[in-house]
Amino acid sequence: MTWKTLDDMDFAGKRALVRVDINVPVENGKVTDTSRIERIVPTVKDIQAKGGKVILMAHFGRPKGQVVPEMSIKHIAQTVADVIGGNVNFVSTDYAKATADMASDEILLLENLRFNPGEEANDVEFAKRLASLGDIYVNDAFSAAHRAHASTEALAQLLPACAGRLMAEELSALEAALGRPKRPVAAVVGGAKVSTKLELLGNLVTKVDILIIGGGMANTFLAAEGYHVGKSLCEHDLTDTAQEIGEKAAEAGCTILLPHDVVVAHEFKAGAANSTVSVDQCPDDAMILDAGPESVAQIIAVLENCNTLVWNGPLGAFEIEPFDKATNEAARKAAALSKAGKLISVAGGGDTVAALNQAGAADDFTYISTAGGAFLEWMEGKQLPGVAALSANSETVSDTI
Ligand code: ADP
Ligand code: MG
């Protein structure tokens, strides 16, 4: 897949309609985390530096096609202005006039796209109205790219289109990890359940050379191999599925690595009394909460021999000490190898990002995706409509203009 970037477009004197994700958390009327807004700044500044005018389009919450006053973008407009540090003006009505009369340094922030039912319906008429407000479409919202909405899909067909800086960075990182990776490629998949990651596992075994399975989901794979996992989190009804994934991996030449030794406890609680046992020694009344030191050593050896790593899901119950140990150690190793230029490492997932931050490893990973659902769908091998539309556009619309 190919897509254009800001560098391929001529923004001089043009109005850029920029789809962004500024769906920030708000508590008691205050934005508690401005990261999402910070990430769009390079795109905004670069368009302005190229002589373009910026019109920001975003969703906020889930108003489901209705005007819900609490979900108005106006509540975050001041924060957007503060973070971008520019002349940001929120507009809720008469977009045509506002966009026609824009001052050159002005940034317009449109009302919540999802107030209009046409947005989530990917309605062409709504997309046409949006298209009439600008000259160039820029998508900088990778995290919304797994949804075919008017502002992510239909609109990309109507104007010359390109990826913003954030989107381009994310796509390049993902492409380097699974598209055209430097082999050998390893994947770490952990977390709670196999059931939430079936498609992801099915796709990864066809793409990576070695699949390291950890966390609660490893228990289902261990049970499928006949091990007793006691009271561990385990989806016993999915042991057949685990076996099928194992067969698919074998056919594709992918090695699956399961824990060799495990840390068991009687309670899911921080500081719970625990012991390390071989996987065939889990007591009937205990649960597996982490991978043991031998398993960690094996994982580290794999990382040392790989050139690329994709990671989703912690290796243990990382929220409760000391069951964060395997995750911390493997994460720190991946971070150190990445920092030394020996590994390309890409990670994503809500708990994964939290776990890597907790391990102090996040900064040295090559790329940490905060895109949530879009990242997971990409790991599942799905085509993301927002990305596909940009790619199709780069082959048609832009070339003819
Ligand atoms: P992500 O959000 O990164 O996709 P998941 O939601 O799949 O990750 O998994 C994270 C959860 O998995 C954490 O809450 C963690 O406590 C849980 N988990 C990991 N290992 C175990 C285990 N052995 N037993 C129970 N829960 C576990
Ligand atoms: Mg999670």
Side-chain angles (χ1 to χ4, degrees):
M1 278 219 231
T2 53
W3 51 85
K4 297 199 167 175
T5 69
L6 300 184
D7 301 322
D8 300 310
M9 316 303 270
D10 180 7
F11 286 98
K14 305 265 173 63
R15 291 164 307 171
L17 279 165
V18 189
R19 174 60 159 104
V20 291
D21 178 2
I22 49 173
N23 195 18
V24 287
V26 174
E27 269 169 43
N28 303 323
K30 281 228 152 40
V31 176
T32 54
D33 180 358
T34 56
S35 321
R36 284 185 164 161
I37 305 172
E38 286 157 31
R39 287 196 198 98
I40 66 164
V41 174
T43 295
V44 172
K45 299 280 182 206
D46 282 3
I47 293 170
Q48 289 186 318
K50 286 161 155 281
K53 295 176 190 172
V54 175
I55 302 163
L56 298 174
M57 306 177 291
H59 71 276
F60 185 53
R62 294 174 185 267
K64 302 213 172 329
Q66 314 262 331
V67 175
V68 180
E70 308 86 77
M71 294 182 196
S72 170
I73 293 265
K74 81 170 179 231
H75 301 304
I76 59 169
Q78 188 55 48
T79 310
V80 173
D82 293 344
V83 173
I84 295 179
N87 176 13
V88 176
N89 289 314
F90 166 73
V91 272
S92 60
T93 51
D94 209 353
Y95 289 167
K97 184 172 182 321
T99 52
D101 297 344
M102 281 176 85
S104 63
D105 70 334
E106 186 178 6
I107 297 167
L108 285 182
L109 177 59
L110 306 188
E111 181 57 289
N112 196 339
L113 289 164
R114 292 187 185 167
F115 280 2
N116 191 307
E119 167 62 359
E120 291 183 76
N122 198 15
D123 177 52
V124 178
E125 291 311 314
F126 180 55
K128 281 185 183 159
R129 275 168 47 208
L130 293 174
S132 71
L133 306 173
D135 309 297
I136 297 174
Y137 168 71
V138 178
N139 190 346
D140 212 20
F142 176 80
S143 49
H146 59 313
R147 314 246 185 253
H149 289 173
S151 69
T152 62
E153 212 273 338
L155 181 54
Q157 332 247 0
L158 300 172
L159 290 174
C162 73
R165 294 293 183 222
L166 181 59
M167 170 76 102
E169 189 187 30
E170 181 108 22
L171 292 177
S172 307
L174 301 189
E175 189 70 7
L178 282 188
R180 269 170 276 136
K182 211 171 149 197
R183 291 189 179 274
V185 188
V188 169
V189 180
K193 291 179 172 181
V194 172
S195 53
T196 59
K197 297 190 180 174
L198 281 177
E199 290 180 80
L200 186 148
L201 291 164
N203 180 48
L204 286 181
V205 294
T206 68
K207 298 255 169 78
V208 306
D209 302 298
I210 182 153
L211 174 62
I212 298 162
I213 299 182
M217 74 162 64
N219 302 334
T220 304
F221 281 85
L222 291 170
E225 291 195 0
Y227 293 108
H228 294 285
V229 296
K231 287 192 184 157
S232 301
L233 174 63
C234 177
E235 292 168 289
H236 290 282
D237 54 329
L238 285 180
T239 50
D240 285 352
T241 309
Q243 248 160 17
E244 282 159 26
I245 293 170
E247 285 158 19
K248 195 173 170 190
E251 273 167 39
C254 166
T255 306
I256 292 186
L257 183 66
L258 289 172
H260 199 70
D261 57 344
V262 288
V263 181
V264 296
H266 289 92
E267 301 169 278
F268 189 97
K269 201 175 106 185
N274 62 85
S275 56
T276 300
V277 297
S278 166
V279 271
D280 56 0
Q281 299 292 323
C282 177
D284 286 344
D285 58 350
M287 55 190 141
I288 300 171
L289 290 181
D290 200 11
E294 277 178 38
S295 307
V296 173
Q298 275 187 327
I299 293 170
I300 285 178
V302 168
L303 298 181
E304 281 172 336
N305 288 309
C306 280
N307 284 312
T308 305
L309 168 70
V310 283
W311 186 328
N312 170 258
L315 293 172
F318 77 99
E319 305 97 328
I320 47 170
E321 276 184 27
F323 309 104
D324 55 347
K325 206 161 175 225
T327 304
N328 288 346
E329 289 181 9
R332 287 173 192 149
K333 184 69 193 181
L337 289 166
S338 308
K339 196 176 180 190
K342 292 179 181 154
L343 185 72
I344 292 169
S345 52
V346 174
D351 291 291
T352 309
V353 176
L356 299 184
N357 276 323
Q358 191 178 301
D363 288 348
D364 289 329
F365 265 63
T366 313
Y367 194 78
I368 300 273
S369 173
T370 51
F375 176 81
L376 290 175
E377 288 200 19
W378 166 80
M379 266 187 108
E380 290 167 356
K382 293 192 180 137
Q383 257 219 351
L384 309 185
V387 178
L390 276 189
S391 181
N393 180 295
S394 87
E395 280 149 32
T396 55
V397 182
S398 323
D399 290 343
T400 59
I401 287 180

